[in-house]
Amino acid sequence: MPKRVVYAPEVAIPVKAYSQAIDTGSLVFCSGQLAYDAKNDTVFSDSVAEQTDYLMQNIQAVLNAAGLQLQDVVKTTIYLTDMNDFVSFNEVYACYFDTNPPARSTIGVNALAKGAKVEIEVIAIRP
């Protein structure tokens, strides 16, 4: 199966340089999501917990557009601008992956687009 671009209309439209996700048939690669509110051209909140909740809903929407769910996620990569936010982030994140969580990397970075505090990218497998 050739690669297919996945698009969830309720999630902010990405710039032309990337797609929300790419479906290869067996794997779906979701681009990093921010808690970005496209209607207001701003990040959803100053709270890392609220940003995490908002962007996880975006990830769910993109996965749903590919015919998948969060339980199909096998790997996540998290970028935090302040590792002191790890506990707050993790409390929200854990609610979305309460059983059989995916493999994960968490990386501290200096900055993220739009001034976001957290970004998450995921890889999911088609069952």
Side-chain angles (χ1 to χ4, degrees):
M1 171 183 190
K3 75 178 186 179
R4 177 179 71 91
V5 173
V6 176
Y7 172 69
E10 62 270 34
V11 177
I13 299 169
V15 295
K16 292 182 181 184
Y18 69 96
S19 300
Q20 287 177 344
I22 296 293
D23 186 344
T24 67
S26 58
L27 294 172
V28 174
F29 297 85
C30 296
S31 294
Q33 287 291 319
L34 303 173
Y36 178 65
D37 177 2
K39 293 176 191 166
N40 297 312
D41 190 31
T42 187
V43 171
F44 175 69
S45 168
D46 286 335
S47 159
V48 73
E50 290 176 342
Q51 284 189 27
T52 302
D53 187 51
Y54 190 93
L55 73 87
M56 287 301 297
Q57 292 174 46
N58 285 348
I59 290 170
Q60 283 182 311
V62 173
L63 289 171
N64 290 160
L68 298 174
Q69 301 174 10
L70 283 174
Q71 67 190 25
D72 300 314
V73 173
V74 295
K75 172 70 168 83
T76 64
T77 305
I78 290 79
Y79 304 93
L80 289 172
T81 59
D82 185 346
M83 291 304 285
N84 291 318
D85 287 333
F86 182 82
V87 172
S88 297
F89 156 79
N90 207 46
E91 287 173 355
V92 175
Y93 175 91
C95 293
Y96 285 91
F97 297 110
D98 57 347
T99 58
N100 300 320
R104 178 175 109 179
S105 299
T106 304
I107 303 163
V109 296
N110 288 332
L112 292 168
K114 303 287 186 184
K117 293 183 177 188
V118 59
E119 180 173 348
I120 301 176
E121 63 182 41
V122 305
I123 302 170
I125 189 166
R126 192 166 306 287

